[in-house]
């Protein structure tokens, strides 16, 4: 791993920047033997996996007279390459070799993530206000190519290619307010909103020809709106808490291949 970090502080401000690069190479090998009624198989698998990650984080903090602001951000890029060779040997009931299936699969997987958020607090003598918000984005691209042939040739196999791009967006915002009513009691209330969207594809190609039967596409969107209120009272040796939470949860998911739509609107009250 390689990394570098820089930080600068003043009386009211703090700046931080952090970068790290990590990489790895792994080798995997597996042998599997299986016996059936009139035949047996021996599968030999060898895989080489190379991964590389680059991450950049930043942070800024500022202290006001009665409040504090913190901003965080992060960007990460992960790249992975996999080369896998598989030899599947077939034997008859006399343990004589009949044929071998040779397969090679090359995969390239990429993951990009971006995250930014802030946390703002206002503190007074009897009350406190906190506002948080965060945005997260995932961009995933998985690609693989599989080629196979058999010797002696008793069956032909099409080359199979897979492309799976996926995107995910998540937004979270929350506001909380707390006030001391007296030395033994306080009132808390707040609201939140969460949004997430998923755009997922899974495309297959057989000998470079698009396969509609194997491919699929799915889209999903969901909201969660919530609010709460809570009262707390302390006594000499015990305490009393009462409150409730209200949530509204609309969502919609669309499966294009199966022509299916999932839609829901729920309202829940929790004591």
């Amino acid at each position: 791993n390689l990394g570098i970090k820089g930080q600068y502080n003043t009386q009211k401000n703090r700046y931080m920047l952090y970068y790290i690069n990590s990489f790895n190479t792994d080798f995997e090998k597996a042998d599997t033997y299986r016996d059936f009624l009139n035949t047996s198989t021996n599968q030999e698998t060898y895989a080489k996996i190379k991964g590389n990650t680059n991450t950049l984080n930043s942070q800024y903090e500022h202290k006001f007279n009665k409040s504090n602001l913190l901003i965080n951000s992060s960007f990460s890029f992960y790249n992975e390459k996999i080369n896998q060779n598989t030899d599947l040997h077939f034997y008859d009931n006399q343990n004589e070799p009949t044929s071998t299936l040779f397969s090679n699969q090359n995969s390239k997987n990429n993951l990009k993530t971006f995250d930014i958020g802030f946390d703002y607090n206002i503190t007074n003598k009897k009350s406190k206000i906190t506002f948080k918000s965060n945005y997260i984005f995932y961009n995933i691209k998985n690609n693989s190519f599989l080629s196979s042939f058999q010797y002696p040739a008793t069956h032909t196999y099409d080359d199979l290619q897979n492309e799976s791009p996926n995107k995910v967006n998540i937004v979270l915002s929350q506001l909380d307010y707390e006030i001391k009513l007296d030395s033994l009691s306080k009132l808390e209330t707040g609201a939140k909103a969460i949004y997430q969207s998923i755009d997922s594809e899974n495309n297959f190609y057989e000998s470079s020809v698009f396969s509609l039967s194997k491919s699929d596409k799915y889209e999903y969107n969901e909201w969660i709106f919530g609010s709460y209120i809570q009262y707390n009272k302390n006594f000499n040796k015990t305490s009393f808490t009462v409150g409730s939470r209200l949530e509204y949860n609309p969502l919609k998911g669309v499966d294009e291949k199966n022509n299916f739509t999932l839609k829901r609107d729920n309202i829940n009250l929790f004591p």
Side-chain angles (χ1 to χ4, degrees):
N1 295 344
L2 299 173
I4 185 172
K5 179 180 179 181
Q7 183 169 324
Y8 175 70
N9 298 332
T10 65
Q11 186 176 0
K12 293 186 176 182
N13 296 281
R14 179 170 62 89
Y15 306 86
M16 190 272 289
L17 190 65
Y18 179 65
Y19 168 77
I20 186 171
N21 170 260
S22 60
F23 48 89
N24 64 283
T25 301
D26 295 324
F27 300 92
E28 296 182 1
K29 185 178 180 180
D31 294 331
T32 304
Y33 299 89
R34 292 182 179 178
D35 290 321
F36 302 95
L37 182 61
N38 295 315
T39 186
S40 61
T41 63
N42 176 23
Q43 179 174 300
E44 300 173 338
T45 302
Y46 175 81
K48 180 181 179 180
I49 306 170
K50 296 181 66 176
N52 185 33
T53 303
N54 290 279
T55 303
L56 179 65
N57 297 316
S58 64
Q59 189 176 92
Y60 169 71
E61 184 177 12
H62 180 78
K63 294 182 179 180
F64 301 91
N65 292 332
K66 295 183 179 181
S67 62
N68 186 76
L69 174 65
L70 178 64
I71 301 175
N72 292 286
S73 67
S74 176
F75 176 77
S76 178
F77 177 73
Y78 175 70
N79 178 53
E80 180 185 67
K81 293 181 179 180
I82 304 174
N83 179 264
Q84 179 174 302
N85 293 295
T86 302
D87 298 341
L88 181 59
H89 307 282
F90 295 88
Y91 302 89
D92 60 19
N93 54 6
Q94 301 297 323
N95 205 29
E96 294 293 331
T98 57
S99 65
T100 300
L101 178 63
F102 301 93
S103 301
N104 174 259
Q105 179 171 329
N106 286 287
S107 303
K108 185 177 181 181
N109 306 314
N110 294 321
L111 171 61
K112 295 179 181 178
T113 63
F114 175 70
D115 183 348
I116 186 170
F118 71 89
D119 188 335
Y120 183 58
N121 298 289
I122 302 175
T123 303
N124 295 309
K125 186 177 181 180
K126 293 186 177 182
S127 65
K128 181 180 179 182
I129 300 175
T130 302
F131 181 51
K132 300 178 181 180
S133 188
N134 201 58
Y135 170 69
I136 305 172
F137 173 70
Y138 298 94
N139 187 5
I140 306 167
K141 293 182 179 180
N142 297 328
N143 298 277
S144 64
F145 184 83
L146 174 65
S147 60
S148 304
F149 72 93
Q150 191 175 25
Y151 183 82
T154 60
H155 186 78
T156 59
Y157 298 86
D158 293 327
D159 293 337
L160 185 63
Q161 183 179 356
N162 175 243
E163 296 177 353
S164 300
N166 298 274
K167 293 182 180 180
V168 179
N169 292 275
I170 301 173
V171 181
L172 168 64
S173 295
Q174 183 172 339
L175 176 64
D176 297 292
Y177 176 69
E178 178 184 319
I179 182 170
K180 293 182 179 180
L181 302 177
D182 52 47
S183 60
L184 298 176
S185 63
K186 65 179 180 179
L187 180 69
E188 297 176 68
T189 185
K192 70 174 180 180
I194 302 174
Y195 171 74
Q196 64 172 336
S197 67
I198 301 174
D199 189 353
S200 175
E201 294 185 44
N202 198 19
N203 301 318
F204 287 91
Y205 300 84
E206 295 178 314
S207 297
S208 302
V209 178
F210 180 72
S211 176
L212 183 61
S213 62
K214 290 185 173 67
S215 302
D216 195 9
K217 183 178 181 180
Y218 183 74
E219 294 180 356
Y220 178 84
N221 294 276
E222 181 181 14
W223 280 97
I224 299 176
F225 300 98
S227 62
Y228 75 95
I229 186 169
Q230 180 175 287
Y231 172 76
N232 178 266
K233 175 73 173 181
N234 291 320
F235 299 95
N236 291 332
K237 295 183 179 181
T238 185
S239 63
F240 172 75
T241 301
V242 63
S244 65
R245 186 173 84 250
L246 179 68
E247 285 191 356
Y248 173 53
N249 177 213
L251 65 85
K252 183 179 180 181
V254 179
D255 186 341
E256 292 188 358
K257 176 184 176 181
N258 298 308
N259 194 25
F260 175 76
T261 299
L262 172 66
K263 191 174 182 180
R264 186 179 70 194
D265 288 276
N266 287 343
I267 298 178
N268 298 306
L269 179 64
F270 305 94

